[in-house]
Amino acid sequence: MSFWEKAGKAALSAGKAIGEEAVRQGKEIKELKEKCESRSDRELERVLQNDGFFGASDKEKNMAGAELKRRGYSPDEIRRLRK
């Protein structure tokens, strides 16, 4: 097998792995968004304030903040909730 064949196979393999990871992350974000849409404002506020070891991930906090913004919260109100 020539160098270029090996390089092509390696590039194809890397591209496939990157694509699969992008799909996985897209599904995760969609699930988080749906989860946030079904929560009350108070529950979303708690997500933003949860900083414990087993607390919400940064992605979950960002999605909670985005949902509160969609519901009419100002950026300043969301920033205050995060502290």
Side-chain angles (χ1 to χ4, degrees):
M1 185 178 290
S2 74
F3 168 78
W4 292 112
E5 287 174 336
K6 288 180 183 178
K9 283 186 178 184
L12 183 62
S13 177
K16 184 178 178 183
I18 290 169
E20 289 171 354
E21 179 63 17
V23 168
R24 187 193 66 75
Q25 286 185 9
K27 286 180 182 178
E28 180 184 2
I29 289 172
K30 183 180 178 188
E31 289 171 3
L32 281 173
K33 184 177 185 217
E34 290 172 355
K35 189 176 177 182
C36 286
E37 288 172 347
S38 67
R39 289 181 168 174
S40 69
D41 288 4
R42 184 66 192 126
E43 288 172 317
L44 293 172
E45 290 173 7
R46 276 191 236 124
V47 168
L48 289 176
Q49 295 168 346
N50 192 347
D51 284 331
F53 183 74
F54 294 105
S57 69
D58 287 340
K59 283 182 188 176
E60 191 171 2
K61 287 181 180 183
N62 289 337
M63 294 304 293
E67 179 62 21
L68 287 172
K69 183 177 179 184
R70 190 185 70 76
R71 294 181 186 183
Y73 283 62
S74 73
D76 287 337
E77 289 172 313
I78 294 169
R79 205 172 300 115
R80 259 183 265 126
L81 290 170
R82 285 184 180 240
K83 293 182 181 180

